[in-house]
Each structure stands twice: as structure tokens, then as C-alpha cells.
Amino acid sequence: MVRVLISAVIALLVALGALWWQYDRKAEALGTVTAERDTANNVVSSLRTTMRLQRELMTDLAELDRKNTEALTNARKENSQLAVDVAAGRKRLRVNAACPAGVSEAASAASTPDDRTAELNPAARQTYHALRDQLVTTENALAGLQEWVREACSGGK
């Protein structure tokens, strides 16, 4: 009977040891899973913050683009209106001109004096307006890119 009792106590101790070992393994696994969950929650929080900041940046850049596009459109309208006004005769393009240093006095004395202001010929007017439009486009694009770099790359705020 003592042998049975000792066998039963030993069996209970082995079972208790096995249960303790299983409990320890599960507790360790629970700790690992909890740490992974916390890491995943931190990553999710970071991604949410990144997405929020990216949305704010995209909104700021869209506003910047709208503003620069509007400025370019206004400048082009102004240039087009100038071209229309010059063609209609409401405005004139004036050239600040002087005779070149190499023109002789005899050549200028033989010609009739002309006190009118120097102007561009009609073919050059079209080129002038095209160049002016390209200049406005380039200036606005450059200003927009500089502003975009300030906002997007260096935070701008």
C-alpha cells in the first residue's frame, strides 16, 4: 500500500511538473505575443501619424499648386490682353533705342529727321509676346518649384 501511495505521489509530482512546465511555456509565449502586439500598435500609430502628415502636406502642396497656377493664368491673361491692345492700337510697344556709335554724321544729315519713338515692327511684336509668355511661364514655374521645395522638402513651417 505504501508503494501504491508513493507511486501515486510520484505520479502527481510528475503531472504537477508537466503542468508547471506547460504553464511556463504558455506564459513565455504570452509575453512574446504581447510584445509583438505592442510593437505592431506602435507601428500602426506611426503609420497613422505619417498618413496624417502626408495628407496635410498634400493639401498644402495642392493649395500651393492652385495659387501658382492661378498666378500663371493671370500673367498669361495679362500678356494676351497686352497683345490684343497692341494689335488694336490701344497700347504701343516702345523700344529704348539709340543710333549705333558707328553711324556717320553725313549719313544721318542726308536723311530726314524723325522725332518719332522707335517701335518694334509687326513681325517682332509677335515674337515679343511669345517671348514674354515664355518668360512669365518660366518665372512662375521657377517660383512654384522653389516654394514647393521649401514646403515639401524642408517643412516650410
Side-chain angles (χ1 to χ4, degrees):
M1 177 86 174
V2 174
R3 279 188 167 173
V4 173
L5 189 60
I6 290 177
S7 296
V9 169
I10 290 176
L12 283 173
L13 288 176
V14 169
L16 186 61
L19 286 173
W20 181 258
W21 178 70
Q22 283 294 330
Y23 173 76
D24 190 48
R25 275 188 43 214
K26 297 296 180 186
E28 187 178 315
L30 180 61
T32 303
V33 169
T34 303
E36 288 174 358
R37 182 206 59 207
D38 293 344
T39 302
N41 283 339
N42 289 338
V43 168
V44 167
S45 176
S46 175
L47 288 173
R48 284 185 179 145
T49 301
T50 300
M51 291 299 293
R52 181 184 53 80
L53 292 173
Q54 187 174 11
R55 276 193 300 271
E56 289 174 7
L57 179 63
M58 293 306 290
T59 301
D60 291 348
L61 293 177
E63 176 60 25
L64 186 66
D65 184 51
R66 186 203 58 76
K67 184 181 87 177
N68 286 319
T69 301
E70 185 177 313
L72 177 61
T73 301
N74 290 340
R76 283 185 172 167
K77 282 180 186 176
E78 181 182 314
N79 193 41
S80 295
Q81 186 59 46
L82 178 63
V84 168
D85 288 346
V86 167
R90 291 186 291 269
K91 291 187 178 180
R92 291 175 29 164
L93 294 176
R94 299 187 194 279
V95 177
N96 187 5
C99 288
V103 176
S104 70
E105 289 295 320
S108 63
S111 62
T112 2
D114 190 0
D115 292 334
R116 295 184 312 166
T117 306
E119 282 190 67
L120 294 174
N121 68 27
R125 286 183 193 152
Q126 294 304 323
T127 304
Y128 170 80
H129 293 298
L131 289 172
R132 183 181 161 116
D133 190 49
Q134 289 174 358
L135 177 66
V136 164
T137 301
T138 302
E139 285 175 340
N140 278 295
L142 181 60
L145 285 171
Q146 288 172 334
E147 214 171 335
W148 188 89
V149 167
R150 277 193 297 278
E151 288 288 323
C153 298
S154 61
K157 295 177 182 172

PDB file of all heavy atoms in Angstrom, residues 47-61:
ATOM      1  N   LEU A  47       2.334  54.854 -38.513  1.00  0.00           N
ATOM      2  CA  LEU A  47       1.803  54.937 -39.877  1.00  0.00           C
ATOM      3  C   LEU A  47       0.621  55.898 -39.955  1.00  0.00           C
ATOM      4  O   LEU A  47       0.494  56.647 -40.932  1.00  0.00           O
ATOM      5  CB  LEU A  47       1.402  53.551 -40.374  1.00  0.00           C
ATOM      6  CG  LEU A  47       2.555  52.606 -40.699  1.00  0.00           C
ATOM      7  CD1 LEU A  47       2.025  51.212 -41.019  1.00  0.00           C
ATOM      8  CD2 LEU A  47       3.395  53.141 -41.843  1.00  0.00           C
ATOM      9  N   ARG A  48      -0.230  55.895 -38.954  1.00  0.00           N
ATOM     10  CA  ARG A  48      -1.353  56.841 -38.933  1.00  0.00           C
ATOM     11  C   ARG A  48      -0.854  58.275 -38.885  1.00  0.00           C
ATOM     12  O   ARG A  48      -1.364  59.145 -39.597  1.00  0.00           O
ATOM     13  CB  ARG A  48      -2.260  56.556 -37.738  1.00  0.00           C
ATOM     14  CG  ARG A  48      -3.136  55.353 -37.946  1.00  0.00           C
ATOM     15  CD  ARG A  48      -4.103  55.169 -36.804  1.00  0.00           C
ATOM     16  NE  ARG A  48      -4.943  54.011 -37.066  1.00  0.00           N
ATOM     17  CZ  ARG A  48      -5.383  53.178 -36.151  1.00  0.00           C
ATOM     18  NH1 ARG A  48      -5.080  53.380 -34.879  1.00  0.00           N
ATOM     19  NH2 ARG A  48      -6.143  52.153 -36.481  1.00  0.00           N
ATOM     20  N   THR A  49       0.155  58.520 -38.077  1.00  0.00           N
ATOM     21  CA  THR A  49       0.729  59.865 -37.985  1.00  0.00           C
ATOM     22  C   THR A  49       1.361  60.253 -39.323  1.00  0.00           C
ATOM     23  O   THR A  49       1.177  61.380 -39.801  1.00  0.00           O
ATOM     24  CB  THR A  49       1.780  59.928 -36.865  1.00  0.00           C
ATOM     25  OG1 THR A  49       1.149  59.576 -35.631  1.00  0.00           O
ATOM     26  CG2 THR A  49       2.391  61.305 -36.753  1.00  0.00           C
ATOM     27  N   THR A  50       2.071  59.310 -39.928  1.00  0.00           N
ATOM     28  CA  THR A  50       2.694  59.573 -41.225  1.00  0.00           C
ATOM     29  C   THR A  50       1.639  59.887 -42.276  1.00  0.00           C
ATOM     30  O   THR A  50       1.798  60.837 -43.063  1.00  0.00           O
ATOM     31  CB  THR A  50       3.537  58.363 -41.671  1.00  0.00           C
ATOM     32  OG1 THR A  50       4.545  58.125 -40.688  1.00  0.00           O
ATOM     33  CG2 THR A  50       4.178  58.592 -43.024  1.00  0.00           C
ATOM     34  N   MET A  51       0.568  59.114 -42.299  1.00  0.00           N
ATOM     35  CA  MET A  51      -0.502  59.355 -43.266  1.00  0.00           C
ATOM     36  C   MET A  51      -1.163  60.712 -43.024  1.00  0.00           C
ATOM     37  O   MET A  51      -1.459  61.440 -43.979  1.00  0.00           O
ATOM     38  CB  MET A  51      -1.550  58.240 -43.191  1.00  0.00           C
ATOM     39  CG  MET A  51      -1.054  56.897 -43.704  1.00  0.00           C
ATOM     40  SD  MET A  51      -0.558  56.954 -45.437  1.00  0.00           S
ATOM     41  CE  MET A  51      -2.116  57.249 -46.215  1.00  0.00           C
ATOM     42  N   ARG A  52      -1.378  61.074 -41.784  1.00  0.00           N
ATOM     43  CA  ARG A  52      -1.977  62.375 -41.463  1.00  0.00           C
ATOM     44  C   ARG A  52      -1.070  63.502 -41.944  1.00  0.00           C
ATOM     45  O   ARG A  52      -1.526  64.438 -42.603  1.00  0.00           O
ATOM     46  CB  ARG A  52      -2.232  62.501 -39.963  1.00  0.00           C
ATOM     47  CG  ARG A  52      -2.872  63.827 -39.551  1.00  0.00           C
ATOM     48  CD  ARG A  52      -3.014  63.947 -38.046  1.00  0.00           C
ATOM     49  NE  ARG A  52      -1.783  63.726 -37.307  1.00  0.00           N
ATOM     50  CZ  ARG A  52      -0.821  64.640 -37.144  1.00  0.00           C
ATOM     51  NH1 ARG A  52      -0.933  65.824 -37.681  1.00  0.00           N
ATOM     52  NH2 ARG A  52       0.265  64.359 -36.441  1.00  0.00           N
ATOM     53  N   LEU A  53       0.228  63.379 -41.657  1.00  0.00           N
ATOM     54  CA  LEU A  53       1.179  64.403 -42.091  1.00  0.00           C
ATOM     55  C   LEU A  53       1.263  64.467 -43.608  1.00  0.00           C
ATOM     56  O   LEU A  53       1.374  65.551 -44.193  1.00  0.00           O
ATOM     57  CB  LEU A  53       2.558  64.138 -41.483  1.00  0.00           C
ATOM     58  CG  LEU A  53       2.662  64.321 -39.974  1.00  0.00           C
ATOM     59  CD1 LEU A  53       4.025  63.864 -39.474  1.00  0.00           C
ATOM     60  CD2 LEU A  53       2.388  65.756 -39.576  1.00  0.00           C
ATOM     61  N   GLN A  54       1.213  63.302 -44.244  1.00  0.00           N
ATOM     62  CA  GLN A  54       1.269  63.272 -45.703  1.00  0.00           C
ATOM     63  C   GLN A  54       0.024  63.927 -46.300  1.00  0.00           C
ATOM     64  O   GLN A  54       0.123  64.680 -47.277  1.00  0.00           O
ATOM     65  CB  GLN A  54       1.404  61.831 -46.199  1.00  0.00           C
ATOM     66  CG  GLN A  54       1.644  61.741 -47.692  1.00  0.00           C
ATOM     67  CD  GLN A  54       1.916  60.319 -48.154  1.00  0.00           C
ATOM     68  OE1 GLN A  54       1.731  59.375 -47.409  1.00  0.00           O
ATOM     69  NE2 GLN A  54       2.351  60.180 -49.380  1.00  0.00           N
ATOM     70  N   ARG A  55      -1.157  63.666 -45.720  1.00  0.00           N
ATOM     71  CA  ARG A  55      -2.385  64.312 -46.198  1.00  0.00           C
ATOM     72  C   ARG A  55      -2.283  65.829 -46.030  1.00  0.00           C
ATOM     73  O   ARG A  55      -2.667  66.584 -46.922  1.00  0.00           O
ATOM     74  CB  ARG A  55      -3.604  63.777 -45.462  1.00  0.00           C
ATOM     75  CG  ARG A  55      -4.148  62.488 -46.040  1.00  0.00           C
ATOM     76  CD  ARG A  55      -5.524  62.161 -45.482  1.00  0.00           C
ATOM     77  NE  ARG A  55      -5.524  61.993 -44.035  1.00  0.00           N
ATOM     78  CZ  ARG A  55      -5.303  60.860 -43.388  1.00  0.00           C
ATOM     79  NH1 ARG A  55      -5.074  59.764 -44.077  1.00  0.00           N
ATOM     80  NH2 ARG A  55      -5.326  60.804 -42.078  1.00  0.00           N
ATOM     81  N   GLU A  56      -1.761  66.275 -44.886  1.00  0.00           N
ATOM     82  CA  GLU A  56      -1.597  67.712 -44.659  1.00  0.00           C
ATOM     83  C   GLU A  56      -0.635  68.311 -45.679  1.00  0.00           C
ATOM     84  O   GLU A  56      -0.892  69.388 -46.222  1.00  0.00           O
ATOM     85  CB  GLU A  56      -1.082  67.975 -43.240  1.00  0.00           C
ATOM     86  CG  GLU A  56      -2.091  67.718 -42.159  1.00  0.00           C
ATOM     87  CD  GLU A  56      -1.506  67.855 -40.757  1.00  0.00           C
ATOM     88  OE1 GLU A  56      -0.333  68.277 -40.618  1.00  0.00           O
ATOM     89  OE2 GLU A  56      -2.232  67.543 -39.796  1.00  0.00           O
ATOM     90  N   LEU A  57       0.470  67.616 -45.925  1.00  0.00           N
ATOM     91  CA  LEU A  57       1.439  68.100 -46.902  1.00  0.00           C
ATOM     92  C   LEU A  57       0.825  68.157 -48.294  1.00  0.00           C
ATOM     93  O   LEU A  57       1.003  69.139 -49.023  1.00  0.00           O
ATOM     94  CB  LEU A  57       2.685  67.202 -46.907  1.00  0.00           C
ATOM     95  CG  LEU A  57       3.766  67.583 -47.905  1.00  0.00           C
ATOM     96  CD1 LEU A  57       4.340  68.965 -47.600  1.00  0.00           C
ATOM     97  CD2 LEU A  57       4.874  66.539 -47.888  1.00  0.00           C
ATOM     98  N   MET A  58       0.090  67.120 -48.669  1.00  0.00           N
ATOM     99  CA  MET A  58      -0.542  67.093 -49.986  1.00  0.00           C
ATOM    100  C   MET A  58      -1.568  68.214 -50.112  1.00  0.00           C
ATOM    101  O   MET A  58      -1.681  68.845 -51.167  1.00  0.00           O
ATOM    102  CB  MET A  58      -1.192  65.725 -50.251  1.00  0.00           C
ATOM    103  CG  MET A  58      -0.190  64.588 -50.381  1.00  0.00           C
ATOM    104  SD  MET A  58       1.093  64.865 -51.605  1.00  0.00           S
ATOM    105  CE  MET A  58       0.149  64.743 -53.087  1.00  0.00           C
ATOM    106  N   THR A  59      -2.302  68.499 -49.042  1.00  0.00           N
ATOM    107  CA  THR A  59      -3.261  69.601 -49.056  1.00  0.00           C
ATOM    108  C   THR A  59      -2.529  70.929 -49.228  1.00  0.00           C
ATOM    109  O   THR A  59      -2.936  71.774 -50.024  1.00  0.00           O
ATOM    110  CB  THR A  59      -4.084  69.609 -47.751  1.00  0.00           C
ATOM    111  OG1 THR A  59      -4.763  68.357 -47.631  1.00  0.00           O
ATOM    112  CG2 THR A  59      -5.087  70.734 -47.731  1.00  0.00           C
ATOM    113  N   ASP A  60      -1.439  71.107 -48.477  1.00  0.00           N
ATOM    114  CA  ASP A  60      -0.646  72.336 -48.592  1.00  0.00           C
ATOM    115  C   ASP A  60      -0.077  72.484 -50.000  1.00  0.00           C
ATOM    116  O   ASP A  60      -0.098  73.577 -50.574  1.00  0.00           O
ATOM    117  CB  ASP A  60       0.495  72.345 -47.574  1.00  0.00           C
ATOM    118  CG  ASP A  60       0.013  72.482 -46.143  1.00  0.00           C
ATOM    119  OD1 ASP A  60      -1.177  72.801 -45.942  1.00  0.00           O
ATOM    120  OD2 ASP A  60       0.823  72.251 -45.220  1.00  0.00           O
ATOM    121  N   LEU A  61       0.432  71.379 -50.556  1.00  0.00           N
ATOM    122  CA  LEU A  61       1.018  71.435 -51.894  1.00  0.00           C
ATOM    123  C   LEU A  61      -0.052  71.660 -52.960  1.00  0.00           C
ATOM    124  O   LEU A  61       0.202  72.354 -53.955  1.00  0.00           O
ATOM    125  CB  LEU A  61       1.824  70.173 -52.184  1.00  0.00           C
ATOM    126  CG  LEU A  61       3.086  70.002 -51.337  1.00  0.00           C
ATOM    127  CD1 LEU A  61       3.764  68.674 -51.653  1.00  0.00           C
ATOM    128  CD2 LEU A  61       4.050  71.152 -51.513  1.00  0.00           C
TER     129      LEU A  61
END
